[in-house]
Amino acid sequence: MRAIQFTRTGGPEVLEDVDLPTPEPRPGQARVRHEAVGVNFIDTYHRTGLYPVKLPCVPGGEAAGVVEAVGEGVTAVKVGDRVAYSGGFGAYAEANCVPADRLVKLPDGVDARLAAAILLKGMTTEAFVRRTYPVKAGETVLVHAAAGGVGQIMTQWLKAIGAEVIATVGSPEKAALVRELGADHVILYRQQDVAAEVRRITGGKGVPVAYDSVGKDTFEGTLASLARRGLFVSFGNASGPVPPFPPARLAAGGSLYLTRPTLFDYVVTSEELADSAAAVFDMVSSGRIRIEIGQTFGLADARAAHEALEGRNTVGASLLIP
């Protein structure tokens, strides 16, 4: 099978198009023939070594397709089932073997491309806005990078539950997009003082929760945007990792909280995984969330996909098509 692999960490140039043996499922596993593969920022963190991985590595943890073989003892899925998964490695390939109990069956009306575009980002949103901080109707929330893959879903999800959304984006074009998605206020974070705008919008109070996937460039502005006892949800490093800081900064900002959640701590059991995925698919099928697949690449063009993602030249979800 064709796959993308890296044997050393570094820039997008370390991604190589290779021919690897098609894996055979071990007991408890199923082999999925991929129809679409999700491209996510975490893939770039693995490639650069920011998040250490075992080498050689076939990156990617999100894909959708059809079960074509099952290992001993598998009863959760069968050959021919339409499925998707999120987590682990090996998705940048034509096929992958994954634990069968981590597969999500796709409901009618959700095709492979849609599933690969939304599963990881959608469940991330579900976990963060329903469980990391249960956002309530009427609350004002700050969402950074609102035109990105998670940002678009999060903006729409928050609006669907009645929150007021302050969105930050990097260009007027992206500002127009997030306004269409329902954002109540849009800040161009490269041109405007984010914290000053948030304070103006909230009458000086700040927001009870801020979702920040950008990292280093937005860290100070996010801290300064929070209300007393506000929660800083840091979940990405698009501009680089957040620099070290003394915990006393949180006290000085108003007894603030800081959390660094990952989706996989919220879908530990099969029941949690199924519940989260069901909530995501319900939001999509009901029309409350619209998914934009902004760009697709051939599997062999994974390097170009990473260059576009890291250059912040993408809108919505990005896919590799084997």
PDB file of all heavy atoms in Angstrom, residues 201-217:
ATOM      1  N   ILE A 201     -16.096  44.974  24.358  1.00  0.00           N
ATOM      2  CA  ILE A 201     -17.312  44.240  24.021  1.00  0.00           C
ATOM      3  C   ILE A 201     -18.066  43.795  25.267  1.00  0.00           C
ATOM      4  O   ILE A 201     -19.304  43.812  25.315  1.00  0.00           O
ATOM      5  CB  ILE A 201     -16.964  43.024  23.137  1.00  0.00           C
ATOM      6  CG1 ILE A 201     -16.454  43.497  21.764  1.00  0.00           C
ATOM      7  CG2 ILE A 201     -18.157  42.091  22.973  1.00  0.00           C
ATOM      8  CD1 ILE A 201     -15.765  42.418  20.958  1.00  0.00           C
ATOM      9  N   THR A 202     -17.321  43.418  26.306  1.00  0.00           N
ATOM     10  CA  THR A 202     -17.941  42.869  27.527  1.00  0.00           C
ATOM     11  C   THR A 202     -18.144  43.914  28.611  1.00  0.00           C
ATOM     12  O   THR A 202     -18.438  43.569  29.761  1.00  0.00           O
ATOM     13  CB  THR A 202     -17.086  41.718  28.088  1.00  0.00           C
ATOM     14  OG1 THR A 202     -15.779  42.213  28.412  1.00  0.00           O
ATOM     15  CG2 THR A 202     -16.974  40.578  27.093  1.00  0.00           C
ATOM     16  N   GLY A 203     -17.990  45.167  28.268  1.00  0.00           N
ATOM     17  CA  GLY A 203     -18.175  46.213  29.262  1.00  0.00           C
ATOM     18  C   GLY A 203     -17.147  46.157  30.370  1.00  0.00           C
ATOM     19  O   GLY A 203     -17.447  46.516  31.516  1.00  0.00           O
ATOM     20  N   GLY A 204     -15.934  45.714  30.035  1.00  0.00           N
ATOM     21  CA  GLY A 204     -14.844  45.664  30.995  1.00  0.00           C
ATOM     22  C   GLY A 204     -14.737  44.382  31.792  1.00  0.00           C
ATOM     23  O   GLY A 204     -13.747  44.177  32.514  1.00  0.00           O
ATOM     24  N   LYS A 205     -15.719  43.512  31.683  1.00  0.00           N
ATOM     25  CA  LYS A 205     -15.731  42.307  32.521  1.00  0.00           C
ATOM     26  C   LYS A 205     -14.762  41.225  32.055  1.00  0.00           C
ATOM     27  O   LYS A 205     -14.213  40.487  32.872  1.00  0.00           O
ATOM     28  CB  LYS A 205     -17.149  41.717  32.559  1.00  0.00           C
ATOM     29  CG  LYS A 205     -18.175  42.617  33.228  1.00  0.00           C
ATOM     30  CD  LYS A 205     -19.553  41.955  33.186  1.00  0.00           C
ATOM     31  CE  LYS A 205     -20.614  42.834  33.822  1.00  0.00           C
ATOM     32  NZ  LYS A 205     -21.958  42.205  33.754  1.00  0.00           N
ATOM     33  N   GLY A 206     -14.588  41.078  30.754  1.00  0.00           N
ATOM     34  CA  GLY A 206     -13.845  39.944  30.229  1.00  0.00           C
ATOM     35  C   GLY A 206     -14.751  38.741  30.051  1.00  0.00           C
ATOM     36  O   GLY A 206     -15.947  38.775  30.373  1.00  0.00           O
ATOM     37  N   VAL A 207     -14.191  37.646  29.539  1.00  0.00           N
ATOM     38  CA  VAL A 207     -14.983  36.453  29.248  1.00  0.00           C
ATOM     39  C   VAL A 207     -14.725  35.368  30.290  1.00  0.00           C
ATOM     40  O   VAL A 207     -13.636  35.267  30.852  1.00  0.00           O
ATOM     41  CB  VAL A 207     -14.657  35.905  27.845  1.00  0.00           C
ATOM     42  CG1 VAL A 207     -15.111  36.870  26.769  1.00  0.00           C
ATOM     43  CG2 VAL A 207     -13.164  35.599  27.693  1.00  0.00           C
ATOM     44  N   PRO A 208     -15.733  34.528  30.569  1.00  0.00           N
ATOM     45  CA  PRO A 208     -15.532  33.456  31.546  1.00  0.00           C
ATOM     46  C   PRO A 208     -14.680  32.311  31.036  1.00  0.00           C
ATOM     47  O   PRO A 208     -14.112  31.554  31.824  1.00  0.00           O
ATOM     48  CB  PRO A 208     -16.960  32.987  31.849  1.00  0.00           C
ATOM     49  CG  PRO A 208     -17.725  33.308  30.606  1.00  0.00           C
ATOM     50  CD  PRO A 208     -17.128  34.578  30.088  1.00  0.00           C
ATOM     51  N   VAL A 209     -14.588  32.178  29.714  1.00  0.00           N
ATOM     52  CA  VAL A 209     -13.777  31.104  29.133  1.00  0.00           C
ATOM     53  C   VAL A 209     -13.253  31.552  27.777  1.00  0.00           C
ATOM     54  O   VAL A 209     -13.942  32.260  27.026  1.00  0.00           O
ATOM     55  CB  VAL A 209     -14.589  29.792  29.008  1.00  0.00           C
ATOM     56  CG1 VAL A 209     -15.784  29.962  28.072  1.00  0.00           C
ATOM     57  CG2 VAL A 209     -13.701  28.640  28.538  1.00  0.00           C
ATOM     58  N   ALA A 210     -12.007  31.172  27.485  1.00  0.00           N
ATOM     59  CA  ALA A 210     -11.386  31.470  26.188  1.00  0.00           C
ATOM     60  C   ALA A 210     -10.743  30.198  25.659  1.00  0.00           C
ATOM     61  O   ALA A 210     -10.056  29.484  26.401  1.00  0.00           O
ATOM     62  CB  ALA A 210     -10.333  32.569  26.333  1.00  0.00           C
ATOM     63  N   TYR A 211     -10.973  29.921  24.384  1.00  0.00           N
ATOM     64  CA  TYR A 211     -10.420  28.739  23.719  1.00  0.00           C
ATOM     65  C   TYR A 211      -9.304  29.189  22.783  1.00  0.00           C
ATOM     66  O   TYR A 211      -9.548  29.919  21.820  1.00  0.00           O
ATOM     67  CB  TYR A 211     -11.514  28.001  22.955  1.00  0.00           C
ATOM     68  CG  TYR A 211     -12.594  27.449  23.853  1.00  0.00           C
ATOM     69  CD1 TYR A 211     -13.796  28.128  24.042  1.00  0.00           C
ATOM     70  CD2 TYR A 211     -12.405  26.248  24.530  1.00  0.00           C
ATOM     71  CE1 TYR A 211     -14.786  27.623  24.873  1.00  0.00           C
ATOM     72  CE2 TYR A 211     -13.392  25.733  25.368  1.00  0.00           C
ATOM     73  CZ  TYR A 211     -14.574  26.426  25.532  1.00  0.00           C
ATOM     74  OH  TYR A 211     -15.558  25.926  26.367  1.00  0.00           O
ATOM     75  N   ASP A 212      -8.079  28.739  23.070  1.00  0.00           N
ATOM     76  CA  ASP A 212      -6.904  29.242  22.359  1.00  0.00           C
ATOM     77  C   ASP A 212      -6.091  28.094  21.773  1.00  0.00           C
ATOM     78  O   ASP A 212      -5.438  27.345  22.494  1.00  0.00           O
ATOM     79  CB  ASP A 212      -6.039  30.054  23.323  1.00  0.00           C
ATOM     80  CG  ASP A 212      -4.921  30.825  22.619  1.00  0.00           C
ATOM     81  OD1 ASP A 212      -4.533  30.420  21.518  1.00  0.00           O
ATOM     82  OD2 ASP A 212      -4.451  31.818  23.190  1.00  0.00           O
ATOM     83  N   SER A 213      -6.124  27.959  20.444  1.00  0.00           N
ATOM     84  CA  SER A 213      -5.335  26.951  19.744  1.00  0.00           C
ATOM     85  C   SER A 213      -4.110  27.550  19.072  1.00  0.00           C
ATOM     86  O   SER A 213      -3.367  26.829  18.401  1.00  0.00           O
ATOM     87  CB  SER A 213      -6.201  26.249  18.688  1.00  0.00           C
ATOM     88  OG  SER A 213      -6.628  27.187  17.702  1.00  0.00           O
ATOM     89  N   VAL A 214      -3.882  28.842  19.224  1.00  0.00           N
ATOM     90  CA  VAL A 214      -2.788  29.516  18.524  1.00  0.00           C
ATOM     91  C   VAL A 214      -1.479  29.402  19.301  1.00  0.00           C
ATOM     92  O   VAL A 214      -0.406  29.181  18.739  1.00  0.00           O
ATOM     93  CB  VAL A 214      -3.140  30.996  18.253  1.00  0.00           C
ATOM     94  CG1 VAL A 214      -1.984  31.705  17.562  1.00  0.00           C
ATOM     95  CG2 VAL A 214      -4.405  31.080  17.397  1.00  0.00           C
ATOM     96  N   GLY A 215      -1.541  29.567  20.627  1.00  0.00           N
ATOM     97  CA  GLY A 215      -0.338  29.377  21.430  1.00  0.00           C
ATOM     98  C   GLY A 215       0.408  30.653  21.728  1.00  0.00           C
ATOM     99  O   GLY A 215      -0.145  31.614  22.269  1.00  0.00           O
ATOM    100  N   LYS A 216       1.676  30.690  21.366  1.00  0.00           N
ATOM    101  CA  LYS A 216       2.591  31.761  21.769  1.00  0.00           C
ATOM    102  C   LYS A 216       2.076  33.151  21.401  1.00  0.00           C
ATOM    103  O   LYS A 216       2.105  34.061  22.234  1.00  0.00           O
ATOM    104  CB  LYS A 216       3.950  31.522  21.111  1.00  0.00           C
ATOM    105  CG  LYS A 216       5.003  32.598  21.382  1.00  0.00           C
ATOM    106  CD  LYS A 216       6.359  32.185  20.846  1.00  0.00           C
ATOM    107  CE  LYS A 216       6.354  32.055  19.332  1.00  0.00           C
ATOM    108  NZ  LYS A 216       6.227  33.362  18.646  1.00  0.00           N
ATOM    109  N   ASP A 217       1.604  33.350  20.182  1.00  0.00           N
ATOM    110  CA  ASP A 217       1.253  34.696  19.726  1.00  0.00           C
ATOM    111  C   ASP A 217       0.043  35.286  20.435  1.00  0.00           C
ATOM    112  O   ASP A 217      -0.092  36.510  20.510  1.00  0.00           O
ATOM    113  CB  ASP A 217       0.992  34.690  18.209  1.00  0.00           C
ATOM    114  CG  ASP A 217       2.265  34.528  17.394  1.00  0.00           C
ATOM    115  OD1 ASP A 217       3.363  34.495  17.990  1.00  0.00           O
ATOM    116  OD2 ASP A 217       2.160  34.413  16.153  1.00  0.00           O
TER     117      ASP A 217
END
